[in-house]
Amino acid sequence: MPADLVLLSARLLDPATGDLLPHTALAAHDGRITHLGDDRETRALAGPATTVIDLKGAVVCPGFVDGHLHPVSGAERTAGVDLSGCTDLPAVREALAREARALAPGAWLRGWGLDPNVFGAAPVTAAALGDVLDGIPAALDLFDAHSMLASARALELAGIDGPRRFEQAAEIVCDADGRPTGLLLEDAACALVEAVAPQPTAAEVRERTAAVLRAMAAAGLTGGHAMDANGGSLAVYEALEAEGDLPLRFRVAPWCQPGADADTLRELIRLQGTGGRRWRVAGVKMFMDGTIDNGTAWLERPDCHGESTHAFWPDPQEYTRVLAALHRAGVPTATHAIGDAAVRHVLDSVEEALAQGGTGIRHRVEHIETVPDDTVHRFARLGVVASMQPTHCCEFTRADHTDNWSRRLGEERASRAWRCRDLWQAGARVVLGSDWPIAPYPPLAVMAGARHRRPSRDLSQPPHGIEQALTPLQALKAVTVNAAWAAGEEHEAGRLAVGRRADLTVLADDPLTVPDTDLAELPVLLTVVGGRPTHRDRSL
């Protein structure tokens, strides 16, 4: 059969070795790579309906995969005003005032990406924003997506007038007189405001998600490990694929929250393997703690505010029992664990589960922001994937430790920030991701951050922990070879070889030789999923 796609005059890059393959052309049919060879013999495989592209010396890589992102919930969350570029309170107030002027009377103001560092050493409160939100119902997501700043009017509409107790780790932050400050920590508290705020329609969510996915494809992403199979996300993936609007391949993990009963676990197990051509349910997402910035992480010693002392699961041993039950059913888990105590407990739980058998199941820990030496070395021994987002270190912390994250941890623990290199050298499988919408999704920016560890808005700033930087080849492996291994697809994806999926990212130059601080701007010329272009630059 003629090929569906033929790529000519290419440099084919093997991320396992960093070498260029001894071929200049590639052919694909029925979603798979069917031929690697020279231009003349490969061109002969084309038929009348074949897409033939002369790459003019561009570099072909296996498709880039984001190891941790939230496509659907992120599309919903980023529908308001983008505050992620605001570096001080005046900039936040100006952005909110501009948005407020465009609102219809009584309409809600939504915002996202608010960095707590703009408040300096002062508390994060709605009052610090001045009178810009007076009388306006507003809900502003902080960058970590684990907290919200609600205006006085939003609190009033939600009936929030003081502290409350929650079954899960959550808090309505109040002042000394018991009055809410506007800061809501974790989902259970934020949900009180979400319940009275206008919600997008299903059609609006699909439209917004489709637009985001097209932009992700243009950035070079061919797939992602999606951590948002909660709510109606699965229906969105199904609808987008039916409409021909799913340009990425997704491995989707539904959530398992504290309080999950036997019926919930049975349903999570039943969902495994369901999906469509480009998406499927694989694994379960859990949370062991919150975030350091909010004081909701789980640390072995309290932070400098006396906070971050508790697990997200009220009974951590219940988490251990749930993980063991999923492990026995052959279901891999991906657990959000930021603090050292949280990471340690996840590893302890995996070790207990492994002692009962089933060694082929690939569990993961997500984030791993600060851990001591003895924890680092357990990942390889237990076969646990280290899923990390180095751009969080780049964008939200500082080399001099004057940022909120570092001040909370103190010098000793802040110096152990995002130990990507140590985990790699200890033999762990490190997978890189963005955690979008927490940080930008372009994979070249993620790899660049792992290499230079500097804030993208000012690359002249010193790096935070340059000794933890990955090499160019390690960063490339982390979004190709290691991402495939974490998904149990090491024989299907991650490298350029006959029989593997034709998921490809084509770049204007070799990402291994482009300087670290230039990598994020390297042009993406072509993105291919299953042998079909999902993005094609005008130059081709």
Side-chain angles (χ1 to χ4, degrees), residues 252-274:
V252 191
W255 288 11
C256 179
Q257 298 277 41
D261 57 17
D263 288 342
T264 300
L265 292 181
R266 277 193 291 270
E267 177 61 11
L268 288 170
I269 293 166
R270 184 197 67 79
L271 282 171
Q272 301 302 306
T274 60

Side-chain angles (χ1 to χ4, degrees), residues 4 46 48-49 72 106 113 134 137 476 508:
D4 299 318
V72 181
D134 282 358
L476 180 62

Side-chain angles (χ1 to χ4, degrees), residues 303-329:
D303 68 16
C304 295
H305 294 193
E307 298 177 335
S308 282
T309 58
H310 302 292
F312 182 72
W313 287 61
D315 177 6
Q317 288 308 310
E318 183 60 23
Y319 164 88
T320 302
R321 289 188 285 272
V322 168
L323 185 144
L326 293 169
H327 180 86
R328 286 193 298 271

Side-chain angles (χ1 to χ4, degrees), residues 9 21 91 102 107-108 123 131 138 150 163 172 183 187 215 227 303 323 336-337 345 396 418 425 497 502:
S9 302
L21 298 179
W108 279 67
D131 61 3
I172 296 169
L183 182 60
D187 285 350
M227 303 292 173
D303 68 16
L323 185 144
H336 168 119
H345 188 80
F396 305 120
W418 285 268
Q425 291 183 335

Side-chain angles (χ1 to χ4, degrees), residues 73-403:
S73 61
E76 294 184 66
R77 190 178 295 276
T78 56
V81 58
D82 182 359
L83 301 173
S84 63
C86 298
T87 57
D88 54 33
L89 278 176
V92 173
R93 295 187 191 111
E94 181 180 350
L96 294 176
R98 189 166 53 247
E99 188 77 2
R101 288 193 293 269
L103 288 176
W108 279 67
L109 189 156
R110 299 303 301 254
W112 63 280
L114 179 60
D115 186 346
N117 285 301
V118 303
F119 296 85
V124 178
T125 65
L129 299 177
D131 61 3
V132 67
L133 297 179
D134 282 358
I136 297 174
L140 312 177
D141 288 333
L142 272 74
F143 83 88
D144 61 5
H146 283 250
S147 50
M148 173 189 291
L149 194 58
S151 68
R153 179 58 177 154
L155 294 175
E156 179 186 358
L157 292 172
I160 299 173
D161 57 8
R164 296 190 191 180
R165 292 184 61 84
F166 298 94
E167 290 186 12
Q168 298 178 7
E171 182 183 357
I172 296 169
V173 178
C174 296
D175 62 19
D177 296 320
R179 293 188 298 261
T181 66
L183 182 60
L184 307 174
L185 304 181
E186 299 299 334
D187 285 350
C190 297
L192 299 175
V193 169
E194 292 289 3
V196 298
Q199 300 299 316
T201 66
E204 288 170 339
V205 172
R206 288 199 305 273
E207 181 180 354
R208 172 67 179 165
T209 305
V212 168
L213 298 187
R214 287 192 293 271
M216 287 181 173
L221 282 173
T222 64
H225 299 169
M227 303 292 173
D228 65 353
N230 47 315
S233 295
L234 297 184
V236 173
Y237 293 122
E238 184 175 22
L240 289 179
E241 185 162 70
E243 296 164 5
D245 243 344
L246 193 63
L248 274 72
R249 197 184 301 278
F250 286 114
R251 181 180 190 268
V252 191
W255 288 11
C256 179
Q257 298 277 41
D261 57 17
D263 288 342
T264 300
L265 292 181
R266 277 193 291 270
E267 177 61 11
L268 288 170
I269 293 166
R270 184 197 67 79
L271 282 171
Q272 301 302 306
T274 60
R277 291 184 301 105
R278 288 188 177 176
W279 68 278
R280 66 183 176 90
V281 175
V284 167
K285 168 75 180 298
M286 295 192 282
F287 293 82
M288 202 64 245
D289 65 352
T291 69
I292 287 167
D293 283 282
N294 281 342
T296 58
W298 187 18
L299 297 171
E300 294 179 338
R301 302 192 317 276
D303 68 16
C304 295
H305 294 193
E307 298 177 335
S308 282
T309 58
H310 302 292
F312 182 72
W313 287 61
D315 177 6
Q317 288 308 310
E318 183 60 23
Y319 164 88
T320 302
R321 289 188 285 272
V322 168
L323 185 144
L326 293 169
H327 180 86
R328 286 193 298 271
V331 178
T333 61
T335 302
H336 168 119
I338 281 178
D340 45 16
V343 176
R344 188 183 301 277
H345 188 80
V346 176
L347 295 177
D348 288 345
S349 300
V350 170
E351 188 161 24
E352 286 187 33
L354 288 171
Q356 301 173 26
T359 56
I361 302 157
R362 295 171 185 176
H363 299 286
R364 305 161 50 126
V365 180
E366 310 295 318
H367 308 311
I368 318 167
E369 293 186 4
T370 179
V371 287
D373 292 344
D374 65 329
T375 301
V376 167
H377 292 277
R378 296 181 67 191
F379 278 82
R381 179 167 60 83
L382 297 174
V384 173
V385 174
S387 173
M388 305 189 74
Q389 298 76 44
T391 45
H392 296 193
C393 181
C394 299
E395 307 302 339
F396 305 120
T397 72
R398 301 175 188 141
D400 63 3
H401 296 167
T402 58
D403 58 278

